[in-house]
Amino acid sequence: RPRHGRSLLVCQTILSAAVAFNLQWDGSRPILTTARRRSLSNVPSLRLNNDNGNHGDEAAPSLDNEDWRAFRAHLVRGNKEEGDPSSSSSWAYDSGHVIEPGSIILAKVEPDFCYFGLNQQYFHKSVMLVTYHKEGEFTKGIILNRPTNLFLGDEDFLDADGEPYSKAGGDNQTENFWRIWFGGDVRSMYSDDTEIICLHSIDTDVARNVSEVLLNNVMMTSYEGAIKIIDAKQAEATDFWMFAGYAGWTGGQLLDELNRESWYMVSADSDTVWKELTRQRDEEKSDPRDAGIRTWSALMGLIGKEDEAEALSESFADLTLKEWASDAILFNSTNGSADMQELNSSDAGQIPLSEIINSFSSAPDTLDKIVKLAVTAKDGLAGSLLRGSADDRSPFLLSNQEFHKSTFLVLEDDDQHTVGVILNHPTIKTRPISLPDGSAVDLTIRYGGSFGIPGVTDQPTIFLHAKSKLKEVTGTGEAVGSSKIWICSEEQVIEAISGGSSHRDFMCVEGFSIWDKDSDLEGGILSEMVEGKFELVDPGLTDEIWVTLLAQAPLSLDTLDRNCRLASDAWGVAGKNENSFPPCVYESTVTVSELADDASRYWIEAFLLGGVVSAEGKYSSSFE
């Protein structure tokens, strides 16, 4: 960090070094541009696997006799029910920490923390089937309760060379259509190498030769294996449940998560699995935004956790799960690639500038100047103030919630990257500034972003001010780009305060937010602006925004509400969204904008205060 006697050049050198070193995230999450959905002509790209999903040389277990798990179920349930529990048509029980292929993993909901509400929402209230487990090496499973309304035809599947897959044999010319389930975030339906897993219960020689047995009457094969069974005229496409992607755990990871009570490990019979999968497929008025919560609740009931499931209905994480489902697994049409292509035609690099004018927030008479600055100025966007999107559906609801209604300063924008800092997140930490007379003042440290220099305990601190008179009288700081915001060294801050300036004139920020650019100069913060995630703020509003943010106090439970309100006020200086009828979350009275505000607050509590304290009790069930 800059110390006494170091000039602004040193501050800029540190900033450049922070980018040059492989920057790491600081415990929250890296700032990443959301991946675009690819054209359906490339989704999923099936790389056929001759081992049908096997890992290693272990043989699949033989289940010719009655599933041995039923015997264990009898022992587990025998002390709880009268009569013969094995006579029940379906069963499930909590199997402790026993991890094995065919086991069910149920997500455990923690009401006092919102992790799966803020990240990886698809794991919230998920039901997963373990498809592979080798202790100490790897565990693999598929999410069973995330059905989409997307159907793919055979022409949508690609072979290892990227060509449309040709069915084995070629005698059967019938076009098959496959409903897709979201199976997990690894090699998912939006990756470059989608993995397809098909579940079925077809017990023929052909089926057994291309399948693995997971449970008695539950088998797994690839898309290629499913086509071979169909071409042998032993099944139809509707006899398979097709999953795109999977969830994976490294050696020991799942066990660690079980020890932290993040999951329930469950053994269930095949009737239970097929009952739920069939209901998801055949249920009238099925909507992907339901996100399979009913299936999770049913399994929770079978293991005696129905009270827990009911108590945690319509939680914050339930609503963000529905929003994730709306964004990721709800499609405009189920008719194939044409409509999917339409959904994905908005490529940032091809949108004309005229189509993004509305993403800029400014007075009309300065609009042309601001657009020209954003696109053609030699200094790029350095020195620009941005704010998070004002859209009804915040692009930062499901991830990177720190940018929701944020105020952001671009420090550097060159051919390789954009570097900047968030200004509206005071932390619990302060920076003591020792003055020559022996006194000291404390500056609130603000969270600027998730990146810092690896292995450095004392991360670089950026000092900023926006007081023109201070610059004119004392020459304190150097302008960031062409703005009237100045970056200072610690020595300059000390000199200014010693000369009579208030320490409240300065912001001090730790951490950076960084967007890389590719060889074609695409990417960076401008791509985020084109996507509507950020809006350029009129430079004439800088002083009002700056004064509003300086009124924030060091973060605590007592100052949290006021700090959030001031951050929103600063964001609103550049204009507000005046929608009189904001959209609500699916089957909820909670508006999406309200949910995004809460997500931002919970992010602050979780990552800057150390734990979410205000989520429990706010959201209550309004629908049965």
Side-chain angles (χ1 to χ4, degrees):
R1 66 189 183 193
R3 299 189 182 276
H4 299 303
R6 295 193 175 185
S7 66
L8 175 63
L9 178 61
V10 175
C11 296
Q12 293 172 331
T13 301
I14 291 175
L15 179 60
S16 299
V19 177
F21 284 93
N22 292 322
L23 291 168
Q24 296 178 347
W25 60 296
D26 64 355
S28 51
R29 74 181 68 81
I31 308 303
L32 298 176
T33 301
T34 302
R36 294 188 173 278
R37 294 181 179 177
R38 301 184 302 114
S39 164
L40 192 64
S41 62
N42 294 320
V43 180
S45 172
L46 177 64
R47 299 186 183 278
L48 300 177
N49 194 338
N50 292 330
D51 67 2
N52 293 321
N54 284 319
H55 295 259
D57 298 325
E58 295 179 325
S62 174
L63 294 175
D64 293 335
N65 299 320
E66 181 182 1
D67 191 335
W68 59 268
R69 291 179 177 86
F71 175 73
R72 197 160 63 193
H74 178 90
L75 297 179
V76 171
R77 299 176 60 190
N79 294 329
K80 298 180 181 180
E81 301 178 5
E82 295 181 359
D84 182 7
S86 64
S87 64
S88 173
S89 60
S90 63
W91 50 261
Y93 63 89
D94 187 336
S95 59
H97 290 181
V98 178
I99 306 172
E100 56 198 357
S103 294
I104 300 292
I105 303 172
L106 289 182
K108 184 174 182 179
V109 178
E110 299 176 346
D112 59 342
F113 190 66
C114 299
Y115 183 80
F116 285 149
L118 297 175
N119 296 278
Q120 299 179 302
Q121 289 81 8
Y122 41 84
F123 283 130
H124 174 66
K125 292 189 175 178
S126 61
V127 178
M128 289 182 278
L129 176 67
V130 177
T131 60
Y132 172 81
H133 174 70
K134 188 168 186 179
E135 187 173 354
E137 292 187 9
F138 190 66
T139 303
K140 181 178 179 179
I142 52 175
I143 303 176
L144 297 179
N145 60 327
R146 300 289 183 256
T148 79
N149 63 339
L150 175 66
F151 285 74
L152 297 181
D154 289 329
E155 75 277 2
D156 295 312
F157 292 84
L158 308 180
D159 63 21
D161 296 323
E163 298 296 327
Y165 179 76
S166 298
K167 294 185 293 181
D171 295 334
N172 185 358
Q173 298 301 315
T174 301
E175 177 74 5
N176 300 298
F177 290 94
W178 311 80
R179 185 176 180 181
I180 305 300
W181 269 248
F182 175 86
D185 55 353
V186 182
R187 297 182 65 182
S188 73
M189 58 200 301
Y190 298 118
S191 71
D192 291 328
D193 58 345
T194 302
E195 177 165 312
I196 296 296
I197 298 170
C198 298
L199 297 184
H200 66 90
S201 59
I202 303 159
D203 189 15
T204 65
D205 289 340
V206 173
R208 284 191 293 270
N209 287 336
V210 297
S211 304
E212 287 185 68
V213 178
L214 298 176
L215 287 169
N216 190 22
N217 204 37
V218 177
M219 287 172 276
M220 174 181 71
T221 189
S222 64
Y223 169 75
E224 181 186 36
I227 288 296
K228 289 180 179 179
I229 299 171
I230 292 174
D231 283 345
K233 302 186 184 302
Q234 296 177 357
E236 299 178 352
T238 53
D239 294 319
F240 298 89
W241 279 255
M242 180 175 283
F243 298 82
Y246 62 88
W249 293 263
T250 58
Q253 181 184 355
L254 179 56
L255 183 59
D256 288 342
E257 293 176 6
L258 287 169
N259 289 330
R260 294 197 301 268
E261 299 184 348
S262 298
W263 313 97
Y264 292 113
M265 186 62 66
V266 174
S267 282
D269 70 326
S270 59
D271 285 348
T272 299
V273 173
W274 287 126
K275 176 182 177 182
E276 289 303 319
L277 287 176
T278 302
R279 183 185 59 76
Q280 291 177 39
R281 183 193 64 187
D282 298 341
E283 190 173 40
E284 293 185 6
K285 298 181 179 179
S286 175
D287 193 305
R289 291 172 294 182
D290 291 320
I293 291 178
R294 180 176 170 183
T295 293
W296 176 83
S297 297
L299 269 293
M300 289 286 284
L302 285 177
I303 65 171
K305 305 292 183 181
E306 56 268 30
D307 291 341
E308 178 181 331
E310 183 177 351
L312 297 171
S313 63
E314 289 301 307
S315 65
F316 165 76
D318 279 5
L319 299 187
T320 56
L321 172 61
K322 290 180 178 180
E323 282 301 297
W324 170 83
S326 296
D327 182 65
I329 61 175
L330 177 68
F331 298 92
N332 285 348
S333 173
T334 60
N335 294 326
S337 60
D339 290 318
M340 183 63 174
Q341 175 68 33
E342 181 180 347
L343 282 175
N344 295 283
S345 61
S346 298
D347 188 283
Q350 299 175 354
I351 297 179
L353 184 61
S354 60
E355 294 185 17
I356 66 167
I357 293 298
N358 291 333
S359 74
F360 293 93
S361 167
S362 66
D365 59 342
T366 62
L367 182 57
D368 290 342
K369 179 180 178 181
I370 292 174
V371 172
K372 184 176 180 181
L373 169 67
V375 179
T376 64
K378 291 182 179 180
D379 292 333
L381 288 163
S384 299
L385 272 184
L386 310 179
R387 73 168 191 160
S389 170
D391 288 349
D392 288 332
R393 294 185 180 274
S394 171
F396 304 116
L397 168 59
L398 302 178
S399 62
N400 299 330
Q401 290 86 0
E402 63 268 36
F403 289 113
H404 175 67
K405 290 187 176 179
S406 63
T407 302
F408 183 83
L409 174 64
V410 179
L411 297 176
E412 183 177 302
D413 187 43
D414 59 24
D415 292 347
Q416 295 181 328
H417 46 248
T418 302
V419 182
V421 289
I422 307 170
L423 299 178
N424 58 288
H425 286 314
T427 70
I428 61 175
K429 300 185 296 181
T430 58
R431 173 70 175 265
I433 302 294
S434 299
L435 302 176
D437 63 4
S439 62
V441 295
D442 289 331
L443 297 182
T444 301
I445 296 176
R446 295 171 182 265
Y447 173 89
S450 60
F451 288 101
I453 300 178
V456 176
T457 302
D458 293 330
Q459 291 295 325
T461 301
I462 302 296
F463 296 94
L464 301 165
H465 79 84
K467 196 166 186 179
S468 299
K469 186 176 180 180
L470 179 60
K471 174 63 177 177
E472 293 170 1
V473 174
T474 66
T476 302
E478 294 185 25
V480 180
S482 58
S483 72
K484 291 189 176 181
I485 298 174
W486 292 272
I487 185 170
C488 320
S489 67
E490 184 173 327
E491 180 185 42
Q492 289 175 319
V493 173
I494 293 172
E495 290 175 354
I497 296 174
S498 299
S501 296
S502 171
H503 67 282
R504 295 183 179 88
D505 292 334
F506 297 92
M507 286 188 186
C508 96
V509 186
E510 287 187 359
F512 307 103
S513 300
I514 300 176
W515 288 265
D516 289 329
K517 298 181 181 179
D518 60 25
S519 57
D520 296 325
L521 302 185
E522 294 183 355
I525 194 67
L526 185 57
S527 290
E528 301 280 285
M529 296 167 68
V530 169
E531 292 179 15
K533 294 182 179 180
F534 291 96
E535 302 170 352
L536 194 62
V537 174
D538 185 342
L541 301 173
T542 298
D543 288 345
E544 185 178 356
I545 292 172
W546 199 266
V547 169
T548 303
L549 292 177
L550 285 176
Q552 292 178 304
L555 182 62
S556 68
L557 287 176
D558 294 332
T559 64
L560 176 60
D561 286 337
R562 184 171 182 270
N563 281 355
C564 289
R565 185 173 64 253
L566 288 169
S568 182
D569 289 345
W571 175 85
V573 167
K576 296 183 178 179
N577 187 349
E578 302 295 341
N579 188 351
S580 300
F581 302 99
C584 290
V585 179
Y586 174 70
E587 290 199 342
S588 172
T589 57
V590 178
T591 66
V592 178
S593 58
E594 178 187 357
L595 188 67
D597 287 346
D598 286 335
S600 176
R601 177 192 174 97
Y602 299 155
W603 179 90
I604 294 171
E605 293 182 22
F607 294 104
L608 300 184
L609 269 178
V612 176
V613 296
S614 60
E616 186 175 6
K618 174 169 182 178
Y619 293 92
S620 58
S621 177
S622 301
F623 296 88
E624 295 297 332

